[in-house]
Amino acid sequence: MRFERLWAERAGPRMEPRVLDRANGAQSVFAPAAWPNAQVEAWIDWSEGFVAGTPSPVKGAWQPLGGGPARYGQQLAAAGSTAGLFKSLDQRSTFGGEITATLLAGLAAPCPPHADDGPVIDLGVSGGPDALARWVDRRRAAEAAAMAAQRLQARLAAVADAVLRCEGPRADCADPNGNPALARAAHAARGAGATDEALLDVIALAQAGEGYAVSPPPASPAQSATVAIDGALDDEAVRQAALAAWKTGAVQIAFAATDPAPCCGAALNLYPFAAGEAIDEAGLGRLTRLWTAALWIEAGAGGAATLGVVGLHEALVARGLVYGSAEAQAFAGGLLTLMREAVADALLDLGGEAPDRVVRIVAEAPPEAGLRLGGMALGASPWSGPVGGAETDDEVIVPVLKEAALAGLQVIGADLAAARLHALGARSLHGAPGVTAEALNAAGFTEYEIGLVDAALLSAPSLQAAFAPQVLGLGFVRDVLGTEPDATGADILAAAGFSAQAIDEASVYGFGTGGLEGAPGVSMDQALIFAGGESIGLEDRLAMAAACDAATGAPALHRLPLTADAGPEAMVALVRQAADAGLTLFWPKRAESETVRLLTLPPLEEPRPKPAEPPRTERIVERIVERDRTRRKLPDRRKGYIQKAAVGGHKVYLHTGEYDDGELGEIFIDMHKEGAAFRSLMNNFAIAISIGLQYGVPLEEFVDAFVFTRFEPAGAVTGNEIIRSATSILDYIFRELGVSYLDRQDLASADPDALNADGLGRGAGDKTGAESEPIPAAHFISKGFSRGAAPDNLLFLPARRSPGGEQGQAALSDVCPACGDFSLSPVGGRLVCDKCGTAPGAWG
């Protein structure tokens, strides 16, 4: 077989250095300048398999794509020389250079085979349906076990964490009766299926200082099953196979005997050869023969390999052909027939006995091959549509019309600029209907905010995303527009006074329609040329797949998608329709859901209490109430208090905000002369706690979670008569909140009764000194907050106690009739005014 230099002598793509952010750090590579980073990374992932253990053919210089293409070409050339394929060193060098050049030109990509070692289940033999049912049950059981294991691991980790975070005696921390957090975590773990033995083991390990590590979720079983249905179309067999495919998403259905799985493969890009005015038959044939020889080397004599294709639908679009038309099917069949003949010629030159025995053409390719070749459509599958993405120098993805779409528009004579504006939009608000610059100025937007939106429109996925708070700034959103910082772009536009119709009009102007249907100069029939994705009907997909299989003579594994919410009967109908269309091998599968599907359940009805039988006994019934997950906003003018203290010599200010009913709704934490990072961390922590409180998280949960946490600063507390020491800033904060709002006196460091002592050491019961004076109300009520509603002469009277310890009646209610002072005291069985000396009457 002759090998001539063609692609190696042509000017290859311009290379440029790239710095990729890889999992193991930054990596510098040479790559074609026109390739996006995703395509380059796909090649680097493949190249890493050829770097180790293979000598570099180029010394002292950076090699394109990490050296993988050059090493792969050299490796194939060496294996071909061993097999006696080359007559000279020049032929060997030419072959290796051509392989490398086609890889760098984006014409070919090696790829692993799609097949796995899954079972082949024949429903036509005795026991076949039972074998399929057992396989489905095992797979679903493995998936259910993986989900349950993740949930159980998370619950057990919470049990260990409740013990590890507890500060106190080890025995008390490991006792659910003394550690409320541990009790709650253990109940949740038991509900997730944990046995008491497992709980005790986790608690024992945590008591010894060992946590519970959550392992990553086990991957779903990789193997798929091939279900064979031979002979006449059996409705029951079709239904069994379809239901298995719906349940697992891993069932390939074959209506004929399938060949052994190939051991290696590659994919060729058809678009460069079929997109021009004339098909480059010579170039496509030469590329096919070159890679037939490459796969013949890899597979070895008597082996099997596949040569897939990508870019078929792009070639149809560039020539102005509708995907589902008879002309498109004939064109695709002609290209694949040409490749099939080239494979047969190459195999004959290589000494193969049967043309399609060692290397065969199939109308399919794995997804990684499509990514390495520029995101082209795989095999006979339709493309995603006319709009793609281009990467700017600063690695921002912006939408553009694909090259094939531009070529197709030129074929039908459409205005490219008008079509581009229709599909992609203006990406600016200048001249936009609905949301105009004048209307934005009237709503409070300045030229600065409008400029931020215009800059975001270049890469934003929607108009709402361009008006997000992260773009406009939280201060502008809160202070100027009066919306919450967590508002969406739609909320912001609505708050600015724009109607839904105005927003839709501006969205179409700025972002286009995403397609070419209805574009100026594009008729309805011509718009079908550019249809893709879900807009391609199932009948057209099946017809194209059948035409391609007929041209290659080898069944491809066609992937037939269903929507995520399609039911089992839809899968049964899909399988029957594919069989009627003549497909012999396909993979029906439901698409992954783009959003999390939720099941709405009615509330459980509480069981009616049975009539109590005498004797009646009191029962304590605990009800778990699910609070509405809506945010309870604080009043604009709210009360609270400020507590200044120092923990371990570090000043901390605690500000609280309360609802009208006195319930805590927000906190702020300010540190004195701390680093900017620590202060910002504490401020944002306080915001997170405030949001939780406003969404209904009980303060008790936060107190139990953060008291006894230990980190610096810690130590003695000054400035707070209730809390005398703390193990951390968070321990002090939540001790103070627990005492002040929850009456958690167990968290206080001093006896509250001793706090009435005066500066001379006399306690509340010491009558040797002067009596306590009345305290003005301004000591407790903010004059500014009350706005003068509280009178200036309002006093809080201290409660005096009798020698027996009980409060005297006069101290609470009697007033001296002579002077009006609250200073009557019992003396010798009579009440005597301490101020004027009047004795109005007997006491008691």
Side-chain angles (χ1 to χ4, degrees):
M1 185 175 181
R2 295 182 57 189
F3 298 101
E4 300 177 353
R5 295 184 181 273
L6 177 63
W7 289 285
E9 294 183 350
R10 293 179 178 176
R14 182 175 65 87
M15 298 289 173
E16 67 175 11
R18 299 276 187 94
V19 178
L20 302 179
D21 187 11
R22 306 281 288 171
N24 55 355
Q27 181 177 356
S28 300
V29 297
F30 266 147
W35 288 10
N37 280 350
Q39 185 177 359
V40 175
E41 290 189 4
W43 276 104
I44 295 300
D45 291 339
W46 169 84
S47 297
E48 289 175 349
F50 296 97
V51 172
T54 305
S56 173
V58 181
K59 301 295 185 181
W62 277 10
Q63 299 179 46
L65 301 179
R71 287 175 169 83
Y72 182 71
Q74 183 190 43
Q75 183 178 359
L76 280 180
S81 180
T82 302
L85 183 60
F86 310 117
K87 297 181 179 179
S88 64
L89 291 177
D90 183 65
Q91 279 194 349
R92 168 178 168 172
S93 176
T94 298
F95 176 80
E98 289 291 275
I99 290 293
T100 302
T102 56
L103 296 179
L104 296 177
L107 300 178
C111 52
H114 62 75
D116 53 30
D117 297 329
V120 177
I121 302 174
D122 190 350
L123 295 183
V125 301
S126 177
D130 293 337
L132 178 60
R134 288 193 299 271
W135 181 86
V136 170
D137 291 342
R138 286 195 300 270
R139 185 178 179 91
R140 299 187 73 187
E143 294 175 349
M147 290 188 293
Q150 278 299 105
R151 179 180 175 86
L152 179 58
Q153 284 189 97
R155 299 299 189 188
L156 291 176
V159 171
D161 191 54
V163 177
L164 294 172
R165 293 179 61 179
C166 174
E167 294 289 341
R170 290 188 177 183
D172 294 343
C173 290
D175 183 5
N177 296 312
N179 187 344
L182 174 59
R184 289 191 297 270
H187 276 295
R190 182 182 285 174
T195 63
D196 288 356
E197 286 289 337
L199 288 172
L200 291 172
D201 289 347
V202 172
I203 293 173
L205 286 172
Q207 195 174 4
E210 295 291 332
Y212 189 91
V214 178
S215 61
S220 298
Q223 293 181 345
S224 60
T226 301
V227 178
I229 306 175
D230 294 334
L233 192 61
D234 186 348
D235 287 344
E236 182 59 29
V238 168
R239 182 174 182 82
Q240 291 174 353
L243 291 179
W246 189 89
K247 293 176 182 178
T248 65
V251 170
Q252 304 170 14
I253 299 177
F255 283 99
T258 57
D259 295 335
C263 65
C264 53
L268 304 184
N269 189 357
L270 300 181
Y271 178 75
F273 303 96
E277 295 182 0
I279 302 176
D280 185 5
E281 296 183 1
L284 181 58
R286 187 167 184 172
L287 179 70
T288 304
R289 287 190 291 273
L290 174 68
W291 276 91
T292 300
L295 297 186
W296 183 87
I297 293 173
E298 282 202 333
T306 60
L307 194 56
V309 296
V310 301
L312 177 59
H313 194 181
E314 284 82 357
L316 297 176
V317 173
R319 302 186 70 83
L321 299 177
V322 178
Y323 179 84
S325 65
E327 295 82 0
Q329 296 174 22
F331 178 80
L335 285 179
L336 295 175
T337 300
L338 186 153
M339 297 180 67
R340 181 181 180 183
E341 293 173 353
V343 168
D345 292 343
L347 291 177
L348 288 175
D349 290 342
L350 293 168
E353 297 180 358
D356 286 339
R357 183 174 179 81
V358 176
V359 179
R360 61 182 183 179
I361 295 289
V362 292
E364 64 166 310
E368 57 267 24
L371 179 58
R372 295 188 198 123
L373 295 176
M376 292 290 179
L378 307 176
S381 301
W383 72 340
S384 59
V387 177
E391 194 171 59
T392 62
D393 292 338
D394 52 357
E395 299 184 4
V396 176
I397 304 297
V398 296
V400 295
L401 283 179
K402 294 179 180 178
E403 180 183 348
L406 295 174
L409 289 170
Q410 290 180 335
V411 169
I412 64 176
D415 186 347
L416 296 184
R420 184 180 287 108
L421 181 63
H422 177 83
L424 306 178
R427 295 284 162 172
S428 173
L429 290 179
H430 295 290
V435 183
T436 63
E438 294 78 10
L440 289 172
N441 286 328
F445 287 76
T446 66
E447 293 300 323
Y448 175 73
E449 284 81 26
I450 296 177
L452 292 177
V453 172
D454 266 338
L457 286 172
L458 296 176
S459 58
S462 65
L463 184 67
Q464 288 78 4
F467 279 89
Q470 293 78 6
V471 176
L472 296 172
L474 298 180
F476 173 80
V477 170
R478 180 180 58 248
D479 301 335
V480 178
L481 299 182
T483 59
E484 294 294 332
D486 57 352
T488 63
D491 297 333
I492 292 174
L493 287 170
F498 294 102
S499 64
Q501 181 180 356
I503 296 174
D504 291 341
E505 291 175 354
S507 181
V508 172
Y509 176 85
F511 290 87
T513 61
L516 294 173
E517 184 177 357
V522 180
S523 65
M524 293 183 62
D525 292 338
Q526 291 172 337
L528 296 177
I529 297 172
F530 308 97
E534 295 181 356
S535 59
I536 301 293
L538 178 60
E539 292 183 1
D540 292 338
R541 288 173 178 257
L542 298 178
M544 178 61 75
C548 292
D549 284 352
T552 60
L557 181 61
H558 299 286
R559 291 169 171 82
L560 303 180
L562 270 181
T563 58
D565 57 351
E569 294 303 324
M571 181 67 77
V572 174
L574 172 64
V575 173
R576 287 175 177 165
Q577 195 170 354
D580 293 338
L583 266 64
T584 57
L585 182 62
F586 54 93
W587 190 341
K589 185 178 181 180
R590 287 187 293 164
E592 296 290 338
S593 180
E594 296 181 358
T595 59
V596 178
R597 295 189 297 163
L598 299 177
L599 176 63
T600 303
L601 296 174
L604 290 175
E605 294 184 2
E606 296 183 6
R608 296 180 180 179
K610 297 180 179 180
E613 298 179 359
R616 294 186 177 181
T617 57
E618 182 180 356
R619 295 186 304 161
I620 299 176
V621 180
E622 179 182 4
R623 291 186 60 190
I624 300 176
V625 180
E626 183 77 18
R627 298 189 65 173
D628 187 16
R629 295 179 181 176
T630 57
R631 190 171 183 178
R632 181 186 176 193
K633 293 186 178 180
L634 283 160
D636 293 337
R637 186 177 182 85
R638 45 190 176 264
K639 60 185 184 297
Y641 71 89
I642 302 174
Q643 173 70 55
K644 173 187 175 183
V647 179
H650 294 256
K651 290 183 180 180
V652 56
Y653 294 83
L654 172 65
H655 304 241
T656 69
E658 302 173 4
Y659 292 99
D660 291 336
D661 60 1
E663 184 178 350
L664 180 64
E666 69 177 357
I667 65 170
F668 295 96
I669 304 173
D670 293 329
M671 301 292 292
H672 183 66
K673 293 184 179 180
E674 299 294 336
F678 188 76
R679 285 203 313 272
S680 300
L681 184 64
M682 295 303 295
N683 289 338
N684 285 278
F685 173 79
I687 293 174
I689 295 297
S690 302
I691 292 175
L693 292 170
Q694 294 166 27
Y695 271 100
V697 178
L699 177 60
E700 294 91 336
E701 296 291 335
F702 289 125
V703 171
D704 290 341
F706 293 109
V707 293
F708 303 118
T709 53
R710 183 181 295 276
F711 58 86
E712 295 295 332
V717 177
T718 59
N720 190 317
E721 68 275 11
I722 297 295
I723 312 299
R724 297 299 187 183
S725 65
T727 59
S728 67
I729 293 293
L730 295 187
D731 177 52
Y732 162 71
I733 293 295
F734 287 97
R735 280 174 178 267
E736 165 63 28
L737 295 176
V739 172
S740 300
Y741 286 97
L742 303 177
D743 197 24
R744 289 283 300 272
Q745 298 300 328
D746 58 304
L747 300 178
S749 303
D751 183 4
D753 290 337
L755 298 178
N756 292 327
D758 60 17
L760 298 178
R762 291 188 293 267
D766 190 353
K767 299 301 180 180
T768 61
E771 295 291 347
S772 300
E773 294 293 334
I775 304 174
H779 186 77
F780 301 99
I781 301 175
S782 169
K783 187 173 183 180
F785 180 81
S786 64
R787 289 177 173 170
D792 294 337
N793 60 353
L794 181 63
L795 301 175
F796 283 94
L797 299 180
R800 289 195 275 171
R801 299 178 182 271
S802 65
E806 297 181 356
Q807 291 179 334
Q809 298 176 1
L812 294 177
S813 59
D814 291 346
V815 180
C816 178
C819 65
D821 197 281
F822 290 90
S823 58
L824 292 178
S825 60
V827 176
R830 297 178 63 86
L831 294 175
V832 180
C833 179
D834 294 337
K835 186 161 187 177
C836 66
T838 303
W843 175 45

